[in-house]
């Protein structure tokens, strides 16, 4: 435990933090699982750079957090090579060629199912990680994969939430998804906390991939390219396409085959693009584009008034109401085929008008704006309220009140002694998303559930387009230099929780000559739900705000007086931020990690 200080109304106040902010000069890693952070540091210690470390950590997370991500999922990566501007490496696969609105509605569906083959987009994570290793790493593929293979063969001690997730879907595994039961219901029981969880099929998949890649010769890049071909068109691609064509039970209560084909897999390539950026108070924040929800973070910054008194009831009210406006614009204008200019959505004039909508009381309406005079279109589901909804809290996988399964996400940040920095939010391909492909040891993902089966919307299901993702890593720069990488799991909560963290850093008082990352991570957090959720069954809950009890009785009472429907959660129930930082002048590196759930950890020296 340590003491720190956070700025509040021009004064300093003492806040008790769970851990110190780590500082050093060699390297720092922060991830949602301590084993992945340890693996990242092991790679740095062996001479690898931040990108090598991130790739090794990512494959480790597939084994250590299979309820939160897997090889069949997706990842957006924000990278900042030393001395070069940040870039986005997109590992979000598109909708398959056969994934049309007509195909789904002909099956009697009005929403893409939350589980099963019909919800599977083209898996993009593995190709993105291989491209990152090829272009920016220095280690060989067998070196970075060795950690994940070892854990898959020898086992990882299961965290409590793996067992809880498997328990929630146990009946489904026993009766329908029996290939998943073979991995996660050994001896007919969910993995107990601390029990070694192995995945021999996944280890065998990676060993075969390495063997076939080695046949391309001794050159490092040639082997990585060969591995990419095996993933797309070799034994892995063939198995994925065949499995997607098999009908499986999904959240509709019916068995459906997917639309993913061998051609979809063979044609996919992870791609680079420029980030979207916004300048605020001496900072430049970089995010993925509107195929993610990343610009929501930037719009919330643009909606802030000139003066902020951190932590006051008025501060929280302003952030909640600004968040509602930004998320309303997400519903109307964000998507892979978005036609509205982000320059307009982030412009001072547009946001001054939007800011004028924030009054002294809570709004209960979804109020998208009209950038460039265009009229917004939103889904007919925007007014559907979650009957008896259970607050989603920390966003961990759960079974909703409807009985449907939900998944979550991982996050990792790494910075090295050379100044390379990377932030990534791997997700999808959860153990509860689809049946495990027996010969591969992992399932497909379900990211298509974020596309609407209504034409004419920014995020309508469209073959070849990326579903609008909730995944949203962050990089922040000062004077053009990357200084902070951060992010969190949590679906729709990601760009709420991470904004609160960033403001705590930006408005706070530094400690020991660096940013107080741990103090900002530990600060009380909250989220609001006044917009259509991105996950099946896609409900909205106007006016709902879920807060940690530590936010204080005064703030809770005042928010309720203003009309917010406040649910008070546990003292440590909101947010799971990871973060690393670098001071370009001194070379001092910092890191912090979320204590909630007792799973995330930072490491460094």
């Amino acid at each position: 435990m340590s003491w720190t200080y956070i700025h509040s109304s021009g004064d300093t106040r003492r806040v008790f933090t769970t851990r110190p902010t780590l500082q050093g000069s060699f390297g720092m890693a922060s991830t949602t699982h301590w084993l992945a952070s340890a693996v990242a540091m092991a790679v740095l210690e062996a001479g690898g750079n931040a990108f090598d470390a991130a790739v090794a950590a990512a494959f480790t997370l597939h084994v250590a957090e299979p309820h939160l991500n897997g090889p069949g999922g997706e990842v957006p990566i924000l990278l900042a090579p030393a001395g070069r501007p940040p870039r986005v490496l997109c590992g979000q696969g598109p909708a398959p060629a056969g994934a049309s609105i007509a195909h789904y509605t002909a099956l009697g569906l009005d929403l893409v199912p939350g589980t099963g083959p019909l919800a599977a987009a083209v898996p993009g994570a593995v190709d993105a990680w291989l491209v990152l290793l090829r272009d920016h790493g220095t280690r060989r593929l067998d070196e970075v994969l060795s950690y994940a293979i070892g854990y898959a063969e020898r086992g990882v001690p299961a965290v409590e939430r793996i067992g809880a997730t498997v328990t929630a879907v146990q009946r489904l595994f026993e009766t329908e998804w029996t290939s998943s039961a073979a991995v996660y219901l050994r001896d007919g029981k969910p993995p107990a906390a601390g029990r070694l969880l192995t995945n021999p099929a996944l280890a065998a998949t990676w060993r075969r991939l390495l063997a076939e890649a080695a046949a391309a010769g001794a050159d490092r890049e040639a082997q990585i390219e060969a591995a990419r071909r095996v993933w797309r068109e070799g034994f892995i691609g063939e198995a994925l396409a065949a499995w997607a064509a098999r009908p499986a039970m999904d959240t509709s209560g019916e068995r459906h085959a997917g639309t993913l084909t061998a051609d979809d897999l063979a044609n996919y390539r992870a791609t680079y693009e420029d980030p979207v950026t916004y300048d605020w108070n001496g900072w430049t924040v970089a995010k993925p584009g509107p195929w993610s929800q990343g610009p929501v973070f930037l719009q919330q910054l643009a909606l802030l008034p000139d003066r902020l008194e951190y932590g006051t009831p008025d501060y929280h009210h302003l952030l909640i109401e600004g968040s509602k406006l930004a998320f309303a614009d997400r519903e109307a204008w964000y998507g892979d085929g978005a036609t509205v200019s982000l320059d307009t959505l982030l412009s001072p004039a547009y946001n001054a008008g939007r800011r004028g909508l924030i009054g002294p009381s809570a709004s209960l309406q979804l109020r998208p704006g009209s950038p460039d005079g265009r009229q917004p279109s939103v889904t007919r589901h925007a007014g559907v309220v979650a009957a008896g909804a259970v607050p989603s809290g920390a966003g961990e996988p759960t079974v909703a009140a409807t009985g449907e399964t939900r998944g979550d996400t991982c996050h990792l940040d790494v910075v090295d002694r050379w100044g390379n920095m990377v932030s990534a939010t791997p997700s999808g391909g959860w153990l509860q998303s689809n049946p495990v492909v027996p010969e591969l040891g992992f399932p497909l993902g379900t990211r298509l559930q974020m596309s609407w089966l209504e034409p004419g919307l920014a995020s309508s299901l469209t073959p070849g387009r990326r579903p609008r993702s909730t995944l949203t890593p962050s990089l922040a720069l000062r004077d053009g230099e990357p200084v902070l990488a951060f992010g969190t799991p949590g679906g729709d909560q990601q760009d709420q929780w991470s904004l609160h963290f960033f403001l705590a850093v930006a408005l706070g008082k530094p400690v020991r000559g660096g940013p107080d990352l741990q103090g900002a991570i530990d600060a009380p957090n909250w989220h609001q739900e006044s917009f259509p959720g991105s996950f099946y069954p896609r409900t909205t809950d106007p006016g709902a705000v879920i807060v940690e009890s530590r936010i204080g009785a005064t703030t809770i009472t005042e928010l309720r007086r203003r009309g917010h429907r406040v649910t008070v959660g546990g003292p440590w129930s909101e947010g799971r931020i990871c973060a690393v930082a670098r001071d370009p002048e001194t070379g001092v590196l910092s890191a912090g990690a979320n204590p909630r759930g007792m799973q995330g950890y930072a490491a460094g020296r």
Side-chain angles (χ1 to χ4, degrees):
M1 298 287 187
S2 64
W3 291 97
T4 188
Y5 294 89
I6 290 182
H7 191 267
S8 176
S9 304
D11 299 318
T12 56
R13 60 187 175 95
R14 298 188 95 186
V15 177
F16 202 48
T17 63
T18 57
R19 308 165 182 170
T21 294
L22 303 185
Q23 289 190 312
S25 59
F26 178 82
M28 292 282 165
S30 178
T31 82
T32 48
H33 196 288
W34 62 82
L35 288 179
S37 299
V39 163
M41 284 306 300
V43 173
L44 293 178
E45 296 284 2
N49 64 19
F51 308 114
D52 298 311
V55 175
F59 281 95
T60 299
L61 287 172
H62 294 161
V63 185
E65 295 186 324
H67 58 311
L68 305 180
N69 80 137
E74 48 275 326
V75 62
I77 304 169
L78 264 168
L79 60 143
R84 294 160 61 184
R87 295 279 282 166
V88 174
L89 178 53
C90 176
Q92 173 60 67
S100 66
I101 291 176
H103 177 77
Y104 287 70
T105 56
L107 296 172
L109 301 171
D110 64 351
L111 290 173
V112 177
T115 61
L118 271 180
V122 179
V126 169
D127 194 62
W129 290 120
L130 294 180
V131 169
L132 181 68
L133 182 66
R134 181 197 67 189
D135 294 345
H136 299 283
T138 63
R139 304 287 95 176
R140 302 181 68 83
L141 181 58
D142 59 344
E143 294 177 82
V144 297
L145 272 178
S146 65
Y147 303 92
I149 292 172
Y151 283 125
E153 289 179 336
R154 296 187 295 273
V156 294
V159 295
E160 289 84 350
R161 286 183 175 86
I162 295 178
T165 302
V166 175
T167 298
V169 292
Q170 182 169 353
R171 180 64 176 164
L172 176 67
F173 282 14
E174 291 171 338
T175 60
E176 296 283 347
W177 297 6
T178 55
S179 59
S180 298
V183 179
Y184 295 108
L185 285 174
R186 305 272 172 82
D187 304 320
K189 297 179 181 179
R195 194 192 86 183
L196 286 178
L197 176 64
T198 62
N199 192 336
L202 179 59
T205 295
W206 296 143
R207 287 199 180 279
R208 182 176 173 185
L209 175 81
L210 290 174
E212 296 191 15
D219 181 73
R220 189 185 80 94
E221 292 188 14
Q223 288 189 1
I224 295 171
E225 281 301 297
R228 295 179 69 203
R229 289 191 297 272
V230 171
W231 173 266
R232 294 192 305 262
E233 305 167 46
F235 77 96
I236 297 177
E238 292 172 356
L240 290 174
W243 197 248
R246 293 168 58 105
M249 181 66 70
D250 60 39
T251 51
S252 72
E254 303 289 338
R255 298 179 185 88
H256 293 113
T259 59
L260 183 69
T261 67
D263 285 344
D264 295 316
L265 289 157
N267 292 331
Y268 176 74
R269 305 290 189 278
T271 55
Y272 288 102
E273 58 190 57
D274 291 329
V276 181
T277 61
Y278 184 77
D279 295 333
W280 179 82
N281 203 27
W283 297 78
T284 298
V285 182
K287 300 289 288 186
W291 52 268
S292 75
Q293 70 176 5
V296 161
F297 185 106
L298 307 182
Q299 278 195 261
Q300 290 175 99
L301 285 178
L303 286 162
L304 293 175
D306 291 336
R307 292 181 59 83
L308 281 174
E309 295 186 1
Y310 179 88
T312 65
D314 193 53
Y315 169 89
H316 292 296
H317 172 74
L318 290 171
L319 262 64
I320 292 168
E321 293 302 298
S323 175
K324 292 177 184 178
L325 295 173
F327 275 88
D329 275 348
R330 184 191 76 164
E331 291 311 305
W333 304 114
Y334 286 20
D336 199 16
T339 57
V340 172
S341 168
L342 282 175
D343 288 340
T344 298
L345 286 172
L346 298 175
S347 68
Y350 178 74
N351 285 286
R354 299 287 279 155
R355 193 181 305 116
L357 297 176
I358 299 176
S361 300
S363 170
L364 302 182
Q365 298 177 322
L366 188 74
R367 300 182 291 176
S370 299
D372 298 324
R374 302 177 61 172
Q375 292 305 302
S377 295
V378 296
T379 173
R380 65 180 182 272
H381 292 270
V384 178
V385 179
V390 178
S392 51
E396 287 288 353
T398 184
V399 176
T402 58
E404 312 301 346
T405 58
R406 295 180 181 178
D408 202 15
T409 301
C410 305
H411 187 81
L412 64 88
D413 301 302
V414 187
V415 62
D416 63 29
R417 61 191 184 276
W418 300 289
N420 299 304
M421 187 175 285
V422 59
S423 179
T425 311
S427 187
W430 313 299
L431 66 87
Q432 66 275 29
S433 64
N434 257 301
V436 166
V437 183
E439 59 267 48
L440 300 180
F442 64 87
L444 287 164
T446 56
R447 193 59 56 174
L448 288 189
Q449 67 181 292
M450 299 185 174
S451 298
W452 295 109
L453 298 181
E454 302 168 54
L457 302 178
S459 55
S460 297
L461 179 65
T462 306
R465 285 186 178 173
R466 294 167 289 189
R468 190 195 67 210
S469 176
T470 55
L471 307 177
T472 173
S474 306
L475 282 175
L477 301 84
R478 291 187 72 86
D479 300 322
E481 288 277 350
V483 297
L484 179 65
F486 60 100
T488 179
D492 294 312
Q493 290 92 278
Q494 288 181 30
D495 277 320
Q496 300 183 62
W497 290 339
S498 59
L499 177 74
H500 310 159
F501 159 80
F502 173 73
L503 291 175
V505 170
L507 299 174
K509 181 177 179 180
V511 295
R512 294 196 303 273
D516 184 13
L517 300 184
Q518 196 62 50
I521 290 168
D522 288 356
N525 218 320
W526 54 262
H527 76 275
Q528 60 89 13
E529 298 183 341
S530 296
F531 53 89
S534 295
F535 295 90
Y536 186 93
R538 311 211 66 177
T539 52
T540 185
D541 198 356
V545 181
I546 294 83
V547 304
E548 290 182 329
S549 59
R550 293 181 300 122
I551 204 169
T554 300
T555 295
I556 292 168
T557 298
E558 177 62 14
L559 291 177
R560 285 174 171 162
R561 188 191 69 79
R562 295 185 183 212
H564 298 283
R565 296 176 47 247
V566 178
T567 296
V568 180
W572 297 93
S573 55
E574 292 283 317
R576 285 183 287 117
I577 300 287
C578 299
V580 299
R582 178 177 181 269
D583 184 335
E585 294 184 3
T586 65
V588 171
L589 311 178
S590 304
N594 171 57
R596 299 163 178 89
M598 296 185 292
Q599 194 167 316
Y601 247 90
R605 69 171 180 88

